[in-house]
Amino acid sequence: MKKRTKIIVACVAVAAVVTAGLFGAGLYFYQVAVVPAPKTFLSKPQKITKNNPLYPAYKWYQQVNKQRWYEVSATRHLILDADYIPAASHTQKMVLIAHGFMGNKDKMFSYAYLFHRLGYNVLLPDARGHGDSQGNYIGYGWPDRLDNVKWIKKIIAQNGQASKIVMFGTSMGGAATMMVSGVKNVPKQVKAYIEDCGYTDVYDEVAYQAKELYHLPKFPLVGIVSLINHVKNGYSFKEASALNQVKKNHRPMLFIHGAHDHFVPTRMVYPLYHATKGPKQLLIVPGKGHARSYQNQPKLYQQTVAQFLKRWVK
């Protein structure tokens, strides 16, 4: 009997140590995945020189007149910051541009230039926890979807009921764009969505990165990080699903993904494309890298976006 008791006590002790170890690992990877801070696994920002094909866009962005807009987040009452760039000529057409993971509005200068040249007013918000917006966690597009709906309503309040709005985003911003598409009662002024290299859901993306970067299995670590995130920030990684959101969408959507994307794997775009209920178009762009489709194939990118908008935004 004593021997059996000792075995039970030993097993409980081992289980406690393992549990504590897993929880400690979960807290560490929560910091890596969710807390805004410099990330060693992200590539360093590219220096924009005169020889860079993006230089004209960069120079334009540095010089163009910007207006500061503010909004309060849909939850937690955070102050969100954005730059508004009016079109060269008066128009009701507007694009809302969502940046990627650990990005900010200024890093979206090339896309702002693209849409500006197409005759659009441009709004560039910083997501919560990024840039000049308040917040101490990365929302991966999920809480941001509701923040973006508030930005959309602000656009309508500022530019009128006749506004014709397109939402565009890359990477996390692409996921946020798709997540917005499934929100109930998105204003009718939103005419189309363009997402570039967004993920299916946060759980799948974090699990993929855990394997690629740290050679760790998704079970049980990703579930633990998701649980911590749910307690701290109110949503689980599986709940934060772009795939489930696009299933509710009936508006036009253009999906763009690099052919050799190893950060958000290219395979993720296909179930997203097939899931949406609205008019849709898919562009797989030749070339390597994540969120580099515009840089890799600028003419193809511009032409595809322009033709899509011409069709769906009158």
Side-chain angles (χ1 to χ4, degrees):
M1 190 68 180
K2 289 182 178 180
K3 184 177 180 181
R4 184 180 178 184
T5 302
K6 288 181 179 180
I7 292 172
I8 293 172
V9 170
C11 289
V12 170
V14 170
V17 170
V18 171
T19 300
L22 287 172
F23 185 72
L27 284 173
Y28 171 80
F29 282 104
Y30 172 84
Q31 295 287 323
V32 172
V34 183
V35 175
K39 308 296 181 184
T40 57
F41 54 84
L42 295 179
S43 57
K44 294 182 180 180
Q46 185 181 14
K47 190 175 181 180
I48 308 298
T49 64
K50 290 186 177 180
N51 296 326
N52 192 306
L54 296 180
Y55 183 76
Y58 178 76
K59 185 177 180 181
W60 165 83
Y61 185 77
Q62 297 303 311
Q63 298 174 347
V64 71
N65 177 50
K66 306 178 189 72
Q67 300 172 18
R68 209 73 176 267
W69 283 20
Y70 298 97
E71 185 56 271
V72 179
S73 63
T75 58
R76 301 200 175 186
H77 303 287
L78 305 170
I79 304 301
L80 306 177
D81 183 278
D83 279 341
Y84 173 71
I85 303 173
S89 301
H90 177 74
T91 181
Q92 299 300 127
K93 294 191 293 187
M94 167 74 75
V95 63
L96 172 62
I97 295 179
H99 63 74
F101 179 87
M102 289 311 303
N104 58 56
K105 56 183 177 290
D106 293 336
K107 292 182 180 179
M108 303 301 282
F109 67 87
S110 58
Y111 304 103
Y113 185 57
L114 166 63
F115 285 100
H116 182 78
R117 293 179 69 191
L118 291 173
Y120 280 71
N121 301 304
V122 178
L123 185 65
L124 297 145
D126 281 331
R128 57 174 71 191
H130 293 74
D132 295 315
S133 289
Q134 294 179 344
N136 60 0
Y137 68 101
I138 298 167
Y140 283 96
W142 190 245
D144 313 294
R145 79 195 191 286
L146 301 179
D147 297 342
N148 284 314
V149 171
K150 291 197 72 173
W151 283 119
I152 288 166
K153 291 179 179 179
K154 190 177 187 73
I155 289 169
I156 297 166
Q158 294 284 338
N159 285 14
Q161 292 295 317
S163 297
K164 299 175 182 179
I165 302 169
V166 175
M167 184 164 179
F168 168 89
T170 63
S171 193
M172 184 182 82
T177 297
M178 291 184 283
M179 290 170 181
V180 167
S181 78
V183 173
K184 188 176 181 180
N185 298 324
V186 171
K188 64 181 181 181
Q189 287 83 356
V190 177
K191 304 302 180 183
Y193 301 97
I194 302 175
E195 79 84 21
D196 183 342
C197 62
Y199 37 79
T200 48
D201 63 48
V202 178
Y203 186 92
D204 286 347
E205 177 60 14
V206 173
Y208 174 81
Q209 291 302 330
K211 181 179 179 182
E212 289 294 305
L213 297 175
Y214 302 101
H215 309 290
L216 293 171
K218 61 183 177 182
F219 180 82
L221 185 61
V222 178
I224 293 171
V225 178
S226 176
L227 178 62
I228 294 169
N229 187 71
H230 189 273
V231 171
K232 285 179 172 287
N233 303 318
Y235 74 94
S236 70
F237 288 169
K238 286 191 175 181
E239 177 187 5
S241 172
L243 183 60
N244 287 340
Q245 291 296 96
V246 294
K247 290 176 181 178
K248 307 171 195 173
N249 175 55
H250 293 271
R251 303 183 205 194
M253 186 174 292
L254 170 60
F255 298 83
I256 302 172
H257 219 105
H260 302 285
D261 189 336
H262 300 297
F263 194 82
V264 176
T266 307
R267 60 174 170 77
M268 285 192 177
V269 74
Y270 298 107
L272 292 164
Y273 171 76
H274 290 299
T276 187
K277 302 297 190 297
K280 54 191 171 183
Q281 184 177 345
L282 173 62
L283 174 66
I284 301 297
V285 179
K288 297 180 180 180
H290 175 64
R292 293 184 61 87
S293 292
Y294 188 21
Q295 291 176 254
N296 290 340
Q297 299 287 336
K299 289 184 178 180
L300 173 63
Y301 200 104
Q302 292 168 15
Q303 289 172 357
T304 304
V305 169
Q307 290 170 1
F308 176 80
L309 294 176
K310 186 178 180 180
R311 182 177 183 186
W312 296 111
V313 186
K314 306 299 182 183

